[in-house]
């Protein structure tokens, strides 16, 4: 594929708001996870909750969109002046030439969960103030972001579980290459809700302790929430970095378990390398999907070693942010851009006893050096896999 310019990016997670807060936490190897409950979900785990969502107000004309997920999206749009940058791009290209392609898994389902508490006791009817289309519906977040930014280009949502907001980068690249748009807002937003917390708990995938990717005693993930956005353009005025390649695969091995040999994951990584015209040795660092579940880490380790060997430095940043599900690909794309810009490879936090069965070169401490090419993995339920490869602006 032709390299696609990334002209701006931002993120909001449990680490804080914006690039600087995230960079500071990565440099300090500090986690944003904490042991706490959320709403009625008292399941005895650690979560990555974003501070200040309840205090974030949407503009009055967007009152129907008011829900936790869209408030989190609004925090992301405000961070690092991202919304202003998009509006400048819309002025250059025209509002109809800027697309919005975002990922999410549960969108604003919390709004419906809360509404169910207020059903009519006689009829069971949901309250009239539940605006399903603007909140719960999966498309809600792209619809809100498009409207809030004053854009009129095509918009859609990808919902392929945890690969959602990585796959939108590939979707935007295709739309720009086809000439449908000249620029696009990509990324993802996913917020905490009871469905996610209880659901992963029922699947026995939630760790009672803080998540420990690549640890011999890892026992599950820590769920987080986040908003992450990037602006990709055909003809930018400035460049933060380049999307060099994107690889996607669907192995459909199992509804929730990864292929034990990482077949689909390996195919996505090979696809990204081929799209970028690169060899495995050209990649300097890999941000792993690395959820901390026994099966995921083992399968990804096999896939990484098959494609890249055992020398490539890699780590998971989910010990910092938690697993932000549909937003994870966007969050880790932004982290990949920070790694390229500032020359750092984040530490994989919380490893107490390295798993001798895993052979990838997993970094337990922050490493600083100049990087030219960084890859990022995102793998979702049902074997929906994606790998992105980014190059430095310089």
């Amino acid at each position: 594929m032709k390299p696609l310019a990334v002209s701006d990016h931002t993120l909001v997670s449990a680490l804080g708001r914006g690039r600087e807060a995230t960079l500071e936490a990565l440099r300090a190897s500090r986690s944003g996870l904490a042991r706490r409950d959320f709403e009625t979900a008292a399941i005895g785990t650690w979560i990555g909750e974003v501070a200040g969502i309840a205090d974030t107000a949407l503009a009055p004309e967007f009152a129907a969109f008011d829900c936790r997920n869209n408030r989190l999206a609004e925090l992301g749009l405000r961070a690092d002046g991202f919304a202003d940058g998009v509006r400048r791009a819309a002025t250059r290209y025209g509002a109809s030439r800027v697309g919005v392609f975002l990922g999410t898994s549960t969108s604003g389902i919390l709004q419906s969960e809360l509404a169910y508490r207020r059903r009519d006791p006689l009829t069971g009817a949901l309250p009239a103030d539940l605006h399903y289309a603007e909140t719960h519906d999966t498309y809600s977040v792209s619809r809100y972001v498009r409207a809030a930014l004053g854009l009129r280009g095509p918009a859609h949502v990808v919902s392929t579980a945890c690969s959602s907001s990585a796959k939108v980068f590939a979707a935007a690249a295709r739309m720009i290459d086809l000439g449908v748009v000249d620029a696009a807002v990509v990324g993802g937003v996913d917020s905490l809700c009871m469905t996610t917390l209880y659901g992963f708990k029922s699947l026995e995938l939630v760790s009672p302790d803080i998540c420990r990717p690549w640890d011999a005693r890892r026992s599950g993930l820590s769920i987080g929430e986040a908003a992450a956005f990037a602006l990709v353009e055909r003809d930018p005025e400035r460049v933060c970095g380049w999307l060099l390649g994107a690889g996607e695969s669907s192995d459909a091995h199992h509804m929730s378990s990864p292929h034990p040999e990482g077949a689909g994951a390996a195919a996505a990584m090979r696809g990204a390398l081929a799209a970028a015209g690169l060899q495995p040795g050209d990649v300097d660092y890999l941000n792993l999907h690395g959820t901390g579940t026994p099966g995921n880490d083992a399968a990804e380790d096999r896939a990484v070693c098959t494609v890249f060997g055992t020398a490539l430095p890699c780590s998971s940043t989910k010990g910092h942010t938690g697993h932000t599900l549909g937003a994870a690909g966007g969050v880790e794309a932004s982290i990949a851009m920070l790694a390229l810009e500032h020359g750092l490879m984040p530490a994989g936090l919380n490893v107490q006893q390295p798993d001798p069965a895993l052979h990838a070169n997993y970094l337990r401490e922050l490493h600083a050096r100049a990087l030219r090419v960084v890859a990022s993995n995102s793998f979702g339920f049902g074997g929906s896999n994606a790998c992105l490869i980014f190059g430095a602006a310089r």
Side-chain angles (χ1 to χ4, degrees):
M1 64 176 278
K2 180 182 178 181
L4 178 61
V6 181
S7 59
D8 201 1
H9 67 101
T10 191
L11 69 168
V12 173
S13 73
L15 296 180
R17 303 181 191 181
R19 297 189 300 266
E20 192 58 39
T22 304
L23 181 62
E24 180 182 346
L26 293 175
R27 283 175 166 160
S29 295
R30 184 179 73 248
S31 176
L33 299 173
R35 182 181 291 280
R36 57 164 59 106
D37 301 330
F38 179 78
E39 286 285 340
T40 61
I43 60 175
T45 188
W46 293 59
I47 61 175
E49 184 173 355
V50 173
I53 296 178
D55 301 322
T56 302
L58 306 187
E61 62 266 33
F62 299 120
F65 288 90
D66 193 16
C67 65
R68 185 177 185 87
N69 206 60
N70 289 334
R71 288 186 179 199
L72 180 53
E74 178 63 23
L75 281 177
L77 294 178
R78 295 177 188 178
D80 296 312
F82 182 80
D84 294 334
V86 175
R87 293 185 181 108
R88 286 193 294 271
T91 298
R92 290 182 62 218
Y93 299 113
S96 63
R97 298 293 299 174
V98 182
V100 178
F101 312 121
L102 301 177
T104 190
S105 65
T106 55
S107 189
I109 197 171
L110 174 65
Q111 200 71 5
S112 292
E113 293 173 341
L114 297 175
Y116 265 84
R117 297 177 184 174
R118 299 186 290 116
R119 286 180 297 173
D120 185 286
L122 296 178
T123 67
L126 290 167
D129 61 2
L130 172 63
H131 301 282
Y132 179 94
E134 293 86 357
T135 58
H136 181 139
D137 188 82
T138 306
Y139 179 59
S140 165
V141 65
S142 276
R143 186 179 175 189
Y144 172 70
V145 168
R146 182 176 184 263
L149 294 173
L151 302 176
R152 299 194 303 273
H156 67 239
V157 162
V158 172
S159 189
T160 54
C162 309
S163 61
S164 301
S165 58
K167 291 172 73 67
V168 293
F169 281 83
R174 289 189 289 268
M175 295 289 268
I176 291 174
D177 187 56
L178 288 169
V180 176
V181 294
D182 296 308
V185 176
V186 296
V189 187
D190 238 352
S191 50
L192 293 169
C193 63
M194 278 81 81
T195 298
T196 296
L197 290 163
Y198 283 125
F200 277 91
K201 177 72 171 179
S202 71
L203 290 170
E204 300 181 344
L205 295 176
V206 176
S207 174
D209 200 355
I210 194 168
C211 68
R212 305 184 188 283
W214 256 248
D215 189 278
R217 293 174 293 182
R218 64 191 183 276
S219 58
L221 50 82
S222 299
I223 295 172
E225 60 184 353
F229 297 112
L231 179 62
V232 293
E233 299 186 54
R234 182 192 303 278
D235 183 25
E237 293 180 333
R238 68 164 190 166
V239 176
C240 295
W242 298 91
L243 175 65
L244 301 179
E248 301 173 87
S249 71
S250 180
D251 59 59
H253 168 73
H254 185 271
M255 185 177 290
S256 59
S257 299
H259 189 287
E261 299 301 319
M269 288 184 275
R270 289 192 179 107
L273 287 168
L278 297 174
Q279 298 300 313
D282 296 325
V283 177
D284 297 315
Y285 165 73
L286 170 64
N287 187 304
L288 299 160
H289 186 56
T291 62
T293 63
N296 175 88
D297 290 5
E300 186 172 13
D301 185 86
R302 294 187 186 101
V304 169
C305 292
T306 297
V307 176
F308 290 103
T310 58
L312 176 65
C314 55
S315 62
S316 167
T317 47
K318 290 187 171 61
H320 292 83
T321 64
H323 191 352
T324 59
L325 307 178
V331 167
E332 288 154 23
S334 195
I335 289 174
M337 300 288 290
L338 290 173
L340 286 165
E341 182 181 358
H342 298 280
L344 60 88
M345 295 180 283
L349 300 183
N350 309 323
V351 177
Q352 295 179 344
Q353 179 182 333
D355 189 341
L358 306 184
H359 304 295
N361 181 17
Y362 193 78
L363 304 178
R364 298 171 59 189
E365 296 180 351
L366 177 80
H367 288 251
R369 69 176 177 87
L371 303 173
R372 297 172 296 106
V373 178
V374 167
S376 182
N377 283 342
S378 298
F379 307 138
F381 276 4
S384 179
N385 309 294
C387 177
L388 303 176
I389 298 180
F390 295 96
R394 55 187 179 277

